[in-house]
Amino acid sequence: MSKFLNLVAGTALASTLIAAPALAEKYGLGRPALEEEVAAWDLDVAPDGTGLPEGSGNAYDGEEIFADYCGVCHGDFAEGVDNWPKLAGGADTLDHDDPLKTVGSYWPYLSTTFDYVRRSMPFGSAQTLSNDEVYAIVAYILFSNDLIDDEFELSKETFFDVEMPNAEGFILDDRTTSEAHFWTDTPCMEGCKDKVEITMRAAVLDVTPDEE
Amino acid sequence: MTMSFKGKPSRRAFLKGAVAAGGTLASASVAKAEADPLITEVQDWASYTGDGVDATPYGLPIEYEADVVRRNVEWLTADTISSINFTPIHALDGTITPQGCAFERHHSGAIELRKEDYRLMINGLVDTPLIFTYEDLERFPRENHVYFCECAANTGMEWAGAQLNGAQFTHGMIHNMEYSGVSLRTLLEEAGLDVAGDLKDKWVYVEGADASSNGRSIPMEKALDDVLVAFKANGEALRMEHGYPVRLVVPGWEGNMWVKWLRRIEVTDQAIESREETSKYTDTLEDGTSRKWTWVMDAKSVVTSPSPQSPIKHGKGPLVVTGLAWSGRGSITGVDVSLDGGMTWQEARLAAPGTDKALTRFYLDINWNGEEMFLQSRARDSSGYVQPTKAQLRDVRGLNSIYHNNCIQTWWVKSNGEAENVEVS
């Protein structure tokens, strides 16, 4: 955990910054938040499951709910419609050209799927689903990615029985080491290369919108 | 104004003008030139009166500047509600971006949230979870800072090759404003961080009030450093599309973290790993592994003029080459410009010394001989970082990173003054 802290802003910050601001001045502004207010807004779910609500659902039930609320954009099998995001597929494509990143092929934590669907979807009527519905939909997305069968009952208790294929696929920002050669005191000013040739032109591709 | 810059050179309106006439129109030294009727004849505006002071209580740019607007690229996203548009950087000068043409990125559209209906919650590992109203925020000691805000996907379309023909489209997911607000540190201290214990491994999760509920995890060290809870930009209230009435300002870090319509700040003991920090804003390398928590925006620069949307119309002679440079790691210490695609470089003039995590304007005043140029700029920052070429970036990152493309950009300026986005060897 302490690894990235040294990288913050790329400079070593004075250690006093992070010292407990014990003598901080208080202004007496604001009012205490009520428990039900915090409960209403604090919905995020963390990778270790903190924030997961009671409830459960399976892909069998989820299929219908998904078709009702999500399929129009994401496709009945979560395969995506037109330019709308695909939620399934893409296994083993991450090292290919144009990898297909989906919940199944890319997302490292299942908590993210629950959290995002509960708070941000369906697009245009966010936060209208019950917790049971969210569990069922998440199960259906997992099912569409061949990660569980359609009877698997997803809940707080079974959440970590699901293995996310790309859980180990991430590394922390390593630019200061893997790109250390970009920090150079003496950038080339003359004779930096012998010749310059055009290798690609935007006008040939022609995807720029017209200016009106 | 209907001007096509889609790379159909011969159609350009300006070619019929000054350049086609060999530049003589503009030359003051031509003998027996005809007197300019704009000078010899009394013009309407010199005779009749103009608008009164009550005509425009809040002004917009004059109609002749109507082409200096944000633009979007339709094919990029499924719809315009969760989408992005681009700042017309090719047509601006100085460093401050006017709010009215500063790029927007929404995940569920720009919302109308009244100050009266605004609430900010601080909860989680704090001594006293608190609710602030907008008025409460105005009573904390205030700070002013100029910072750039760049979307991590700026220049993202260019990974695979030269794609979009215009600085607005290749580099326009950026703006630079003067923010007024309260330091996040002040608000966190008001709620109290004693119960959080050792702050080194703590996080702050910030979240917006719009339907996307966009949220990001910020390490406590950054949260206590220079993060601002801002309610004014460039002296006036934030625009709706930039998070009115209150947004977060996370200097030097990717724009997605600058949560708009900020409604909640939660102190946590782990990163939430929300959708915007896992599915998105992670950078996939060639071998399929992906970098995460790549928050800092690397040093970068671009020539804004001449450029595809801002061709040279005056023929050879004195030419102002200008552009912008910035770094999320500190201030810009210098910018080099190449006219020959990177074979030789010369140091540009900074309009003002670079300041911390803000845009710097550079100029190179040259005498253009009318020959084609491969214009490039290369930024250097206070950490010693030098902006890399596209090839250097691809060597480390491959083609699939999407985000954090800070490569050196090339404009091929042709002898007729037009410019095109190209890649060179």
Side-chain angles (χ1 to χ4, degrees):
Chain A
M1 185 64 67
S2 64
K3 227 195 231 164
F4 72 86
L5 288 171
N6 299 327
L7 299 181
V8 169
T11 51
L13 291 169
S15 55
T16 49
L17 263 181
I18 200 88
L23 298 174
E25 189 182 352
K26 301 242 188 210
Y27 298 91
L29 294 169
R31 64 162 175 85
L34 304 180
E35 245 170 70
E36 61 262 46
E37 290 172 333
V38 173
W41 276 7
D42 185 355
L43 297 175
D44 59 74
V45 180
D48 69 358
T50 305
L52 276 176
E54 299 299 329
S56 69
N58 57 42
Y60 184 80
D61 300 330
E63 179 170 11
E64 206 178 310
I65 311 172
F66 193 89
D68 285 351
Y69 295 112
C70 324
V72 58
C73 298
H74 296 297
D76 281 351
F77 307 100
E79 79 283 14
V81 174
D82 301 332
N83 223 356
W84 303 98
K86 301 169 175 52
L87 309 180
D92 302 321
T93 65
L94 296 180
D95 58 353
H96 298 192
D97 285 350
D98 285 327
L100 175 54
K101 300 181 187 180
T102 69
V103 171
S105 69
Y106 193 61
W107 293 31
Y109 305 105
L110 185 55
S111 57
T112 311
T113 318
F114 189 95
D115 182 44
Y116 187 71
V117 172
R118 177 161 69 152
R119 284 196 287 141
S120 313
M121 287 289 138
F123 192 64
S125 8
Q127 303 194 7
T128 54
L129 300 169
S130 72
N131 290 332
D132 285 342
E133 286 173 320
V134 176
Y135 275 113
I137 287 172
V138 172
Y140 181 69
I141 296 173
L142 292 171
F143 172 73
S144 302
N145 279 287
D146 302 321
L147 297 177
I148 56 171
D149 63 40
D150 66 354
E151 279 159 25
F152 183 93
E153 194 70 17
L154 188 67
S155 71
K156 222 172 165 168
E157 287 68 38
T158 61
F159 212 73
F160 292 96
D161 296 344
V162 181
E163 267 182 47
M164 299 298 276
N166 196 39
E168 302 302 320
F170 291 80
I171 55 168
L172 292 192
D173 184 357
D174 66 345
R175 282 176 289 177
T176 49
T177 50
S178 66
E179 296 174 7
H181 54 295
F182 296 165
W183 278 264
T184 163
D185 290 338
T186 49
C188 178
M189 297 302 283
E190 261 171 58
C192 306
K193 46 189 170 184
D194 297 334
K195 59 176 186 352
V196 166
E197 273 165 9
I198 294 175
T199 52
M200 183 157 180
R201 297 179 52 183
V204 172
L205 195 65
D206 200 15
V207 290
T208 311
D210 273 321
E211 217 164 287
E212 271 142 35
Chain B
M1 179 171 180
T2 49
M3 175 175 105
S4 163
F5 55 92
K6 263 184 140 179
K8 292 157 188 120
S10 57
R11 300 216 203 120
R12 283 202 189 272
F14 74 85
L15 280 180
K16 297 185 201 113
V19 176
T24 47
L25 274 185
S27 170
S29 63
V30 176
K32 296 209 185 81
E34 269 182 40
D36 189 345
L38 283 167
I39 297 170
T40 55
E41 291 167 18
V42 176
Q43 302 296 315
D44 285 354
W45 59 82
S47 188
Y48 309 141
T49 54
D51 283 351
V53 293
D54 55 350
T56 319
Y58 193 98
L60 284 174
I62 196 165
E63 58 181 306
Y64 313 125
E65 295 294 316
D67 60 327
V68 183
V69 290
R70 297 183 277 234
R71 291 190 174 80
N72 68 322
V73 175
E74 228 171 279
W75 54 263
L76 271 182
T77 50
D79 76 341
T80 55
I81 303 296
S82 173
S83 194
I84 185 125
N85 61 26
F86 303 83
T87 308
I89 53 170
H90 63 289
L92 302 176
D93 212 323
T95 56
I96 295 294
T97 316
Q99 292 200 71
C101 66
F103 87 96
E104 312 164 56
R105 203 294 185 230
H106 318 303
H107 289 268
S108 286
I111 57 166
E112 287 180 28
L113 176 55
R114 301 188 320 156
K115 282 179 187 166
E116 294 83 345
D117 298 337
Y118 179 78
R119 300 289 183 274
L120 176 61
M121 177 184 290
I122 299 195
N123 73 305
L125 300 171
V126 292
D127 303 344
T128 316
L130 291 176
I131 306 284
F132 299 116
T133 62
Y134 183 84
E135 282 182 332
D136 292 334
L137 293 183
E138 283 190 315
R139 296 171 66 191
F140 285 101
R142 225 170 287 164
E143 297 179 14
N144 285 202
H145 299 277
V146 176
Y147 292 122
F148 76 81
C149 171
E150 183 185 18
C151 176
N154 200 20
T155 323
M157 284 84 72
E158 303 294 306
W159 274 112
Q163 297 232 25
L164 289 163
N165 215 9
Q168 175 168 26
F169 300 109
T170 55
H171 290 77
M173 296 182 194
I174 190 160
H175 57 60
N176 190 63
M177 302 190 195
E178 183 198 34
Y179 294 97
S180 309
V182 179
S183 82
L184 177 55
R185 184 187 184 102
T186 302
L187 298 183
L188 288 169
E189 287 172 355
E190 186 70 15
L193 290 171
D194 288 347
V195 297
D198 186 356
L199 297 177
K200 282 211 177 69
D201 58 358
K202 297 303 180 298
W203 295 76
V204 162
Y205 181 72
V206 289
E207 174 188 281
D210 63 311
S212 78
S213 190
N214 180 30
R216 290 294 299 256
S217 310
I218 300 175
M220 184 60 85
E221 182 167 17
K222 178 72 172 174
L224 293 178
D225 180 13
D226 55 3
V227 178
L228 274 184
V229 174
F231 33 83
K232 293 276 165 71
N234 299 345
E236 62 180 356
L238 292 166
R239 293 288 165 89
M240 168 175 101
E241 62 269 31
H242 300 129
Y244 178 92
V246 178
R247 86 169 308 165
L248 202 67
V249 169
V250 190
W253 287 21
E254 56 192 22
N256 181 259
M257 307 177 86
W258 296 44
V259 167
K260 301 188 286 190
W261 313 289
L262 179 72
R263 82 165 190 187
R264 199 167 66 89
I265 299 164
E266 179 184 359
V267 177
T268 61
D269 58 8
Q270 59 187 315
I272 297 303
E273 302 282 8
S274 70
R275 182 250 187 179
E276 303 289 348
E277 46 203 11
T278 52
S279 169
K280 305 293 168 188
Y281 303 100
T282 46
D283 320 324
T284 302
L285 304 169
E286 200 153 24
D287 68 358
T289 57
S290 305
R291 289 175 178 164
K292 67 172 187 174
W293 301 355
T294 46
W295 303 303
V296 182
M297 300 308 296
D298 293 310
K300 186 165 170 180
S301 69
V302 65
V303 171
T304 53
S305 180
S307 65
Q309 295 160 284
S310 178
I312 305 170
K313 299 182 186 178
H314 52 58
K316 50 184 155 183
L319 169 69
V320 174
V321 175
T322 186
L324 293 165
W326 61 94
S327 170
R329 290 195 177 82
S331 55
I332 289 297
T333 50
V335 178
D336 306 315
V337 171
S338 176
L339 309 179
D340 58 15
M343 290 194 284
T344 56
W345 296 86
Q346 47 190 314
E347 187 156 8
R349 172 169 63 86
L350 303 187
T355 60
D356 192 39
K357 304 177 184 91
L359 290 192
T360 298
R361 169 67 57 181
F362 66 87
Y363 296 104
L364 186 73
D365 306 295
I366 64 169
N367 200 352
W368 184 44
N369 59 11
E371 286 171 15
E372 69 172 17
M373 299 184 280
F374 292 107
L375 267 186
Q376 298 184 332
S377 64
R378 181 175 72 188
R380 293 178 266 120
D381 77 11
S382 51
S383 77
Y385 184 97
V386 179
Q387 184 180 1
T389 62
K390 232 184 217 185
Q392 282 179 304
L393 274 186
R394 285 177 180 153
D395 277 349
V396 186
R397 307 188 194 170
L399 295 181
N400 291 330
S401 277
I402 302 175
Y403 305 104
H404 293 282
N405 185 345
N406 66 318
C407 69
I408 290 174
Q409 170 68 40
T410 310
W411 304 128
W412 175 27
V413 181
K414 300 159 203 183
S415 51
N416 65 8
E418 290 188 15
E420 184 183 327
N421 176 11
V422 296
E423 258 179 38
V424 294
S425 55

